[in-house]
């Protein structure tokens, strides 16, 4: 027991969770914490908007596998975090969001909570449906236990964001603090060991399958189960499709890789998934963007579904064999049993079919622009970057082109807002990823519309010395909605044209970053090479045609095998 | 009720602390489930409260309700109570209009038949307490409609499993 203030107890609790960095913006209701933060071992990165802080912490978490921490003051600071928290929730990212709150009592402060005080917002009420859990501290003594509990909940089972709301009087309260308390959460016991009977049933079904396919989701990446996935796939000679969030779970250059499924999925993946007799789905929640119309989604295919979240099983798609448990453990156990039962297969009729289909349906990019096609750009980018480089994306066409054409080879090297589809995520997430992995290049594959939403974080990346590369596929339009207006609204463009401002080269320079404009693949390659050698953030503006579509696509309301568009 | 819909009583043990009812109610709203009735009270274990929630839905929806409740950190245990194996009760307080002696004695007769109690009397009203299954209360209310119900407060349903079965958590 040591006597200290709540603010000190909070920082020490964070240090005990091995937090070495946090992203945030201060304000009146967190001043006691910031007063001590400058003397703490924790590096604080001052962002330019709280949404940027939350996305950066999320990007840090996804790149490192550790919890990311962000902090904001009460009221508008806290509500500005909300998009970032919702984003982390949808993509199961371990985020700890600390928010200041007006005083709830205390000797030197008047009681303000619940009285519509200045900069008061009910952040607990606001974030209840978008967090795994949240806490409002009542006194300084409960800080160590609450912080421990919050990190445990955020990082175990199916990870997710946790909010800790800290009233100002709790920060200033001085009391005896005990860091030795253990945690006890009677209502939270994530199941990580799969049931042996279910594993046995799944083994039998897979051993008898003639045309097995694996659908790997983001859970495989979260659980660090990529090598187990590879073992199972190679043993079964099962082609592997991923969900969008699963991109990176399986090397996309592997002969068994089909790419990702879904609305803008790889046509090979969408087609072959529907031809399989048995599907092994791991760590995926069968989102609507992945499955398309549900009654058309691989109806005759028998399905095995592994997920650590029991509520995901049977939520969207009915399955034959549910397995609740950790993806890594389940795949390990499946492999062990299958290896005993199966002889190493040589090529089968199914692998031949996979090979043929891949050759036949390789997506090509046909569009209006003469030379700078997204496909060529992204393939060139892949060649320019080392295998372990991290790519983040914004949301929209840039994201879907990246999914289709930018091969991801390793887990945690493709970071994107899959569930919430948050424009503006990619750039701050890239900053967070760079902080987690300072020795690897980090590239934000951006569109101009999304980049405009969080471009002010150029200030953060330059002043905090976090160099990343932003590639702006610039069509001066909100490209994906323009595409939908072309395809489904008879080409009536409504409110999608952004105009050609700002000049992104000048914008970068205004912030002290470097800017290049690339009008050909050669210029693009030169700019990327310069950026990779540079120690300052680089924005590469690449003008492309606004008529360029992401094709093929599954129109809304159709099955994934009903892709349209010339490819 | 739509095809395949049934009424399900769900019992849940939850942590006895602020905000738990909010998170449970919020989950129902957010997932588009509908609460028919909910009762909450403390249990024999000091740190736990018990919620009895009545929900309508098809099998798939009911399964999701239970799974989503289980995901909430403050919810310690959730069970679907088997309809054939539970005792259910609801309490209602009903203020009935009785302007004359005839209606007054008629109402009191009905209360006796339904084993209710008169808990308050005024020159023009009777306040009746009645306990039973929701069906029994509905039947009684139907009878009272002819006299004129001035005010009604129902607690919502609460339930326990029959016999030794329980959802108690052993410490």
């Amino acid at each position: 027991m040591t006597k200290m203030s709540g603010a000190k107890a909070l920082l020490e609790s964070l240090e005990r969770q091995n937090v070495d960095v946090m992203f945030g913006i201060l304000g009146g209701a967190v001043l006691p914490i910031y007063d001590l933060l400058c003397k703490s071992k924790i590096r604080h990165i001052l962002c330019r908007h709280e949404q940027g802080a939350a996305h950066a912490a999320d990007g840090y978490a996804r790149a490192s596998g550790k919890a990311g921490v962000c902090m904001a003051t009460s009221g508008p600071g806290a509500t500005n975090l909300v998009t970032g928290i919702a984003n982390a929730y949808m993509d199961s990212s371990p985020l700890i969001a600390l928010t200041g709150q007006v005083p709830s009592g205390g000797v030197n402060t008047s009681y303000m909570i619940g009285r519509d005080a200045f900069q008061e917002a009910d952040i607990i009420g606001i974030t209840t449906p978008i967090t795994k859990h949240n806490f409002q501290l009542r006194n300084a003594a409960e800080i160590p236990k609450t912080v421990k509990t919050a990190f445990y909940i955020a990082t175990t089972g199916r990870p997710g964001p946790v909010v800790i709301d800290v009233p100002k009087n709790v920060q200033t309260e001085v009391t005896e603090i005990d860091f030795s308390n253990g945690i006890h959460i009677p209502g939270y016991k994530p199941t990580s060991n799969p049931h042996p009977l279910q594993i046995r049933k799944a083994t039998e079904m897979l051993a008898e399958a003639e045309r097995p396919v694996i659908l790997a989701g983001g859970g495989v990446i979260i659980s660090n189960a990529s090598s187990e996935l590879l073992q199972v796939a190679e043993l079964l000679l099962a082609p592997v499709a991923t969900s969008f969030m699963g991109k990176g779970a399986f090397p996309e250059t592997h002969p068994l890789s089909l790419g990702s499924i879904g609305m803008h999925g790889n046509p090979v993946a969408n087609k072959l998934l529907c031809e399989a007799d048995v599907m092994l789905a791991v760590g995926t929640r069968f989102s609507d963007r992945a499955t398309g119309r549900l009654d058309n989604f691989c109806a005759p295919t028998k399905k095995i579904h592994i997920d650590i979240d029991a509520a995901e099983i049977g939520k969207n798609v009915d399955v034959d064999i549910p397995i609740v448990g950790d993806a890594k453990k389940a795949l390990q156990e499946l492999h062990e049993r299958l290896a005993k039962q199966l002889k190493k297969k040589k090529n089968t009729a199914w692998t031949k079919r996979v090979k043929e289909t891949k050759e036949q349906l390789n997506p090509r990019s046909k569009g209006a622009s003469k030379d700078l096609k997204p496909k060529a750009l992204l393939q060139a980018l892949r060649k320019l970057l080392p295998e372990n480089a991290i790519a983040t994306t914004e949301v929209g066409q840039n994201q879907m082109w990246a999914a289709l054409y930018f091969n991801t080879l390793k887990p945690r090297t493709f970071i994107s807002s899959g569930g919430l589809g948050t424009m503006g995520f990619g750039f701050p997430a890239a900053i967070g990823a760079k902080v987690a992995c300072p020795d690897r290049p980090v590239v934000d594959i951006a569109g101009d519309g999304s980049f405009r939403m969080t471009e002010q974080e150029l200030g953060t990346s330059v002043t905090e010395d976090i160099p990343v590369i932003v590639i702006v596929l610039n069509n001066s339009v909100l490209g994906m909605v323009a595409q939908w207006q072309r395809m489904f609204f008879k080409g009536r463009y409504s409110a999608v044209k952004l105009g050609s401002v700002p000049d992104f080269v000048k914008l970068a320079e205004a912030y002290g970053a470097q800017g290049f404009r690339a009008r050909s693949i050669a210029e693009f390659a030169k700019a990327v090479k310069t950026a990779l050698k540079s120690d300052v953030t680089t924005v590469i503006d690449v003008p492309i045609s606004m008529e360029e579509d992401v094709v093929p696509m599954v129109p809304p309301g159709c099955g994934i095998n009903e892709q349209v568009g010339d490819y | 009720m739509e095809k395949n819909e049934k009424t399900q009583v769900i019992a849940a043990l939850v942590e006895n602390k602020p905000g738990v009812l909010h998170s449970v109610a919020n989950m129902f709203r957010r997932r588009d489930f509908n609460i028919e009735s909910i009762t909450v009270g403390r249990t024999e274990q000091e740190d736990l409260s018990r919620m009895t929630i009545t929900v309508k839905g098809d099998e798939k929806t009911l399964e999701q309700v239970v799974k989503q409740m289980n995901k909430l950190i403050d919810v310690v245990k959730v069970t679907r109570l088997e309809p054939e194996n539970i005792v259910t009760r609801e309490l209602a307080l009903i203020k009935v209009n009785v302007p004359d002696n005839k209606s007054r004695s008629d109402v009191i007769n009905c209360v006796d038949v339904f084993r209710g109690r008169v808990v308050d009397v005024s020159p023009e009203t009777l306040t009746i307490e009645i306990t039973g299954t929701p069906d029994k209360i509905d039947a009684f209310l139907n009878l009272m409609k002819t006299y004129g119900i001035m005010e009604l407060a129902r607690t919502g349903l609460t339930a326990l499993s029959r016999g030794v079965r329980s959802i108690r958590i052993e410490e």
Side-chain angles (χ1 to χ4, degrees):
Chain A
M1 299 271 261
T2 325
K3 205 163 186 164
M4 63 174 81
S5 70
K8 181 128 198 323
L10 181 68
L11 290 174
E12 197 162 329
S13 297
L14 292 171
E15 283 169 8
R16 283 166 186 257
Q17 293 297 324
N18 299 319
V19 173
D20 43 25
V21 62
M22 61 199 238
F23 304 85
I25 303 187
L26 75 174
V30 285
L31 274 172
I33 301 170
Y34 273 83
D35 187 43
L36 298 175
L37 188 56
C38 58
K39 287 175 266 174
S40 141
K41 279 177 259 172
I42 299 171
R43 175 184 179 193
H44 178 267
I45 292 167
L46 177 64
C47 295
R48 297 301 183 265
H49 187 287
E50 290 85 353
Q51 184 188 348
H55 290 329
D58 187 345
Y60 174 90
R62 295 191 204 196
S64 68
K66 287 170 63 180
V69 184
C70 59
M71 177 146 74
T73 190
S74 64
T79 56
N80 275 348
L81 290 177
V82 166
T83 302
I85 295 170
N87 188 73
Y89 185 63
M90 287 292 263
D91 289 347
S92 309
S93 185
L95 179 77
I96 300 283
L98 302 164
T99 52
Q101 183 57 276
V102 302
S104 59
V107 184
N108 299 318
T109 49
S110 53
Y111 193 100
M112 290 189 195
I113 210 161
R115 298 182 185 188
D116 305 312
F118 178 66
Q119 293 196 329
E120 177 180 2
D122 173 20
I123 202 63
I124 294 296
I126 291 167
T127 59
T128 295
I130 51 163
T131 48
K132 193 167 169 188
H133 199 49
N134 55 26
F135 298 91
Q136 186 168 61
L137 291 169
R138 285 165 302 170
N139 54 60
E142 66 181 19
I143 289 173
K145 196 174 165 183
T146 305
V147 171
K148 262 187 226 172
T149 309
F151 274 78
Y152 179 70
I153 289 172
T155 54
T156 54
R158 178 181 182 175
V162 176
V163 167
I164 308 176
D165 194 33
V166 197
K168 197 171 181 182
N169 59 299
V170 175
Q171 301 167 31
T172 50
E173 181 193 344
V174 176
T175 188
E176 294 290 336
I177 302 286
D178 181 2
F179 289 99
S180 64
N181 282 336
I183 57 171
H184 173 62
I185 323 168
Y188 181 65
K189 292 185 181 67
T191 318
S192 69
N193 292 324
H195 198 285
L197 180 69
Q198 298 301 90
I199 294 284
R200 208 170 71 210
K201 282 190 199 162
T203 310
E204 277 159 24
M205 188 180 271
L206 285 167
E208 281 165 26
E210 283 174 15
R211 300 180 307 283
V213 72
I214 297 176
L215 175 61
V220 174
I221 296 172
I222 292 169
S223 146
N224 298 318
S226 288
S227 56
E228 288 76 7
L229 174 69
L230 186 69
Q231 280 186 319
V232 172
E234 287 183 342
L235 182 64
L236 291 168
L237 286 184
V240 179
T242 67
S243 69
F244 177 75
M245 288 308 295
K247 193 171 160 71
F250 194 76
E252 291 188 301
T253 46
H254 192 285
L256 286 170
S257 169
L258 304 179
S260 44
I261 60 162
M263 179 173 270
H264 290 288
N266 192 308
V268 185
N270 283 354
K271 190 166 178 59
L272 289 176
L273 203 69
C274 299
E275 289 181 13
D277 60 347
V278 175
M279 179 198 302
L280 172 64
V282 198
T284 177
R285 63 186 171 89
F286 292 110
S287 97
D288 56 291
R289 277 294 194 272
T291 61
R293 196 183 147 135
L294 274 177
D295 50 4
N296 272 16
F297 181 72
C298 310
T301 310
K302 291 214 175 86
K303 299 175 192 82
I304 303 162
H305 188 189
I306 302 170
D307 205 286
I308 198 152
D309 181 356
E312 288 305 342
I313 292 175
K315 186 182 83 178
N316 293 344
V317 170
D318 292 329
V319 296
D320 300 274
I321 303 177
I323 302 176
V324 179
D326 173 51
K328 192 182 184 87
K329 285 186 186 165
L331 287 171
Q332 263 167 359
E333 289 179 25
L334 270 178
H335 181 259
E336 244 168 64
R337 281 184 171 270
L338 282 166
K340 279 183 206 150
Q341 216 162 319
L342 285 180
K343 287 195 184 124
K344 184 94 183 154
K345 286 194 209 171
K346 288 256 164 76
N347 289 341
T348 61
W350 178 230
T351 52
K352 208 174 138 208
R353 169 87 185 126
V354 170
K355 193 162 176 270
E356 281 170 9
T357 314
K358 280 178 83 164
E359 280 160 12
Q360 194 191 337
L361 290 182
N362 189 17
R364 289 176 293 271
S365 161
K366 278 189 189 167
S369 57
K370 290 276 182 293
D371 48 1
L372 269 183
K373 290 186 191 301
K375 179 181 183 179
L377 265 171
L378 292 166
Q379 288 179 337
L381 179 66
R382 176 70 278 177
K383 285 190 195 125
L384 291 162
L385 296 177
E387 275 197 6
N388 67 355
I390 295 171
T392 69
T393 80
E394 298 295 341
V395 167
Q397 288 184 313
N398 60 83
Q399 180 185 32
M400 294 301 125
W401 282 321
L404 274 170
Y405 305 128
F406 184 83
N407 279 334
T408 306
L409 309 169
K410 289 178 180 306
R412 299 190 187 278
T413 61
F414 185 81
I415 295 173
S416 187
S417 168
L420 197 66
T422 311
M423 291 174 70
F425 171 76
F427 180 43
I431 292 174
K434 183 72 181 178
V435 171
C437 308
D439 302 328
R440 289 152 59 181
V442 180
V443 179
D444 174 27
I445 299 168
D448 56 305
S450 287
F451 182 51
R452 271 174 245 234
M453 292 200 178
T454 49
E455 65 191 14
Q456 77 282 354
E457 300 304 332
L458 279 167
T460 310
S461 79
V462 171
T463 51
E464 294 280 344
D465 205 10
I466 308 164
V468 298
I469 303 170
V470 184
I471 294 161
V472 185
L473 301 173
N474 186 352
N475 51 13
S476 299
V477 71
L478 296 165
M480 186 58 93
V481 277
Q483 175 175 338
W484 282 49
Q485 289 179 343
R486 265 196 303 281
M487 292 175 88
F488 310 119
F489 294 87
K490 300 199 169 102
R492 284 186 299 274
Y493 289 127
S494 174
V496 288
K497 292 186 184 168
L498 295 164
S500 54
V501 290
D503 177 326
F504 287 107
V505 174
K506 285 185 183 160
L507 179 79
E509 287 166 0
Y511 274 103
Q514 62 183 340
F516 299 113
R517 185 159 291 114
R519 297 189 189 278
S520 66
I521 294 290
E523 283 179 20
F524 175 69
K526 193 177 157 208
V528 172
K529 280 180 194 158
T530 312
L532 284 171
K533 279 183 222 142
S534 164
D535 52 8
V536 68
T537 287
T538 306
V539 178
I540 306 172
D541 182 48
V542 192
I544 61 167
S545 161
M546 75 161 282
E547 304 286 329
E548 194 77 52
D549 283 332
V550 185
V551 278
M553 86 172 278
V554 177
C558 293
I560 56 166
N561 50 358
E562 300 173 71
Q563 277 185 312
V564 299
D566 187 17
Y567 58 87
Chain B
M1 267 199 273
E2 275 177 50
K3 227 175 88 186
N4 300 328
E5 267 199 356
K6 55 184 171 187
T7 303
Q8 174 74 53
V9 181
I10 292 169
L13 293 177
V14 304
E15 291 205 47
N16 179 15
K17 59 185 187 194
V20 179
L21 179 60
H22 172 248
S23 71
V24 171
N26 205 304
M27 186 280 289
F28 273 80
R29 182 201 54 76
R30 139 103 179 83
R31 300 260 170 207
D32 204 19
F33 305 140
N34 202 4
I35 298 179
E36 297 283 314
S37 87
I38 180 166
T39 61
V40 192
R42 303 179 76 159
T43 65
E44 76 288 356
Q45 283 157 300
E46 206 175 283
D47 46 352
L48 294 178
S49 293
R50 183 176 175 119
M51 290 185 179
T52 309
I53 305 173
T54 313
V55 210
K56 267 184 198 162
D58 57 17
E59 183 52 34
K60 200 171 163 155
T61 307
L62 296 172
E63 198 182 305
Q64 267 296 307
V65 168
V66 172
K67 284 178 167 176
Q68 294 294 344
M69 279 195 73
N70 257 319
K71 267 177 81 164
L72 300 172
I73 309 286
D74 289 332
V75 174
V76 181
K77 197 170 179 182
V78 187
T79 319
R80 289 169 69 170
L81 298 179
E82 298 167 19
E84 59 279 10
N85 251 327
I86 49 171
V87 185
T88 61
R89 287 293 180 271
E90 185 177 3
L91 184 144
L93 292 174
I94 310 140
K95 193 176 287 176
V96 187
N97 205 11
V98 280
D100 51 63
N101 284 344
K102 165 89 173 67
S103 54
R104 181 176 299 255
S105 62
D106 284 359
V107 167
I108 291 174
N109 280 340
C110 289
V111 171
D112 286 343
V113 172
F114 278 80
R115 296 186 199 176
R117 289 200 309 157
V118 174
V119 290
D120 186 51
V121 184
S122 80
E124 290 179 7
T125 63
L126 284 176
T127 300
I128 300 151
E129 172 202 314
I130 182 158
T131 309
T133 61
D135 285 353
K136 175 181 159 185
I137 292 172
D138 286 343
F140 183 76
L141 289 174
N142 247 336
L143 273 176
M144 289 303 107
K145 268 185 199 159
T146 39
Y147 303 96
I149 298 173
M150 292 176 67
E151 216 177 353
L152 167 68
R154 293 177 75 151
T155 58
L157 176 135
T158 193
L160 279 183
S161 301
R162 288 182 187 277
V164 291
R165 241 177 248 252
S166 89
I167 66 166
R168 187 188 156 88
I169 293 159
E170 298 309 327
E171 281 166 89

